[in-house]
Amino acid sequence: MWVRFTSHLYVRIWLAVVATVVVLAFLVGAAWQLSTDPPQLPIREVLVHNSAGEVIGKAQTKPDRKLGEGLEFKVQTLDGQNLHLVLPRPKRPPTNSWTKPPFGFGWMLGVVALAVALGTYPIVRRLTQRLEGLQRGVERWGDGDLSARVSVNGSDEVAFLAERFNHAAERIETLMDTQKSLLVSHKSLLANASHELRSPLARIRMGLELMSEGAGSSQRAEISRSINELDQLIDEILLASRLDARQTDAEPFETLDLTGLAAEECARVQAELGTAAQTHSLTVQGSPRLLRRLIRNLLENARRYGTGEISLELSQSGMGTRESVVIRVNDRGPGVPANQRERIFEPFYRLPGASEREGGVGLGLALVKSITERHGGTVRCEDRPGGGASFVVELPVLAVAQASRSPSQ
């Protein structure tokens, strides 16, 4: 409790001020006590008269008389008599011991400390409230709210810091808005250009079909292969643009048989399909077109870079709300280095040394990642025992998948 209370800046400043005043008062009091000499009591004198009023003797108190002692006189009269006079100290009414030293001085320090505490708390609290306001503004801005600003009060260092923060936050917000506008324009331009490229491609394909079958068959095959690759690239660019722009959110999610969909795609590339022992087909909630593209891209990637058999395995993991479907595509290719397993999912990234003849421009795995995230899942690359690579996609079941398509997206 004490640690939590003293964690506030204003409490620490306030306690520091109060403690400083108390220590200073003690030091001043101690120095005053040490530097002050004990009080010198006055010398008192007594006169003895006879019945005629004549002075027959006199005496004085001792010069070393101490405070609190009674008065004592030794009088020698003119006729040689020695008189010993004692005047006892008068009794005073009882007083409160708390007002006597050193308690009286302690009470004085307590009153001083209380006065300092009451006087400094509003000042310290006002200062730290402004610092706390600046802290809250910085936290909001750090959490992603680029429109967060802090109030500027006064003309001291705190006000200057708040003003500079507002200025920097405004500049960064402007730069981010500009970047977003440029990115949207870039994606729109890319999507429109890709769409427009389909018309000349269709004319070239039609002209190629009208060519004679005899002459230039090898060149014709090469042109046809290039056209198919370019058409696939345009299709991937268009899909990537729609995924970035969230246009695919308009596609309804439905319950689909993932086992049947995977079987169709495996048959297309002669890949082996394996499933865990189950009594029913694996079903997920998602977009059939997007999930088909996800499986197709993984199989095409395995066929393009693999040298042996290709297999696709389906299984389930987790229970309840954490239940998920696992898609694992295995190949016998060269594998992926550990330091490249994150970058291969970046758009247009290809592994160093990849040949142009292998096809692809680096969009297939990027689309796999975008589609997986759109369905609330994850994707990763692992080493395959015996050589090669395994691409693992985990997709949540119905309840989680629906949550991933909330309006917050």
Side-chain angles (χ1 to χ4, degrees), residues 84 97 125 139 206 209 229 256-257 349 387:
H84 188 205
S97 60
R125 188 68 185 112
E139 289 178 349
M206 183 179 297
E209 294 294 333
E229 289 183 0
L256 57 93
D257 182 6
Y349 180 79

Side-chain angles (χ1 to χ4, degrees), residues 29-44:
W32 178 70
Q33 291 282 351
L34 293 175
S35 61
T36 303
D37 294 331
Q40 183 68 33
L41 297 177
I43 297 176
R44 306 296 296 272

Side-chain angles (χ1 to χ4, degrees), residues 194-195 197-198 201 230-238:
S194 301
H195 182 74
L197 282 173
R198 284 191 161 179
L201 274 179
L230 187 56
D231 189 48
Q232 181 181 359
L233 171 61
I234 292 174
D235 187 54
E236 290 181 346
I237 291 176
L238 286 172

Side-chain angles (χ1 to χ4, degrees), residues 372-394:
T372 302
E373 292 177 349
R374 182 56 54 87
H375 288 77
T378 59
V379 60
R380 64 182 183 275
C381 177
E382 301 176 348
D383 279 332
R384 184 184 183 187
S390 295
F391 288 86
V392 184
V393 176
E394 294 187 13

Side-chain angles (χ1 to χ4, degrees), residues 248-256 285-290 375 405:
T248 53
D249 286 343
E251 294 188 4
F253 274 28
E254 60 185 63
T255 302
L256 57 93
Q285 185 81 1
S287 167
R289 188 175 71 89
L290 294 181
H375 288 77
R405 289 180 53 82

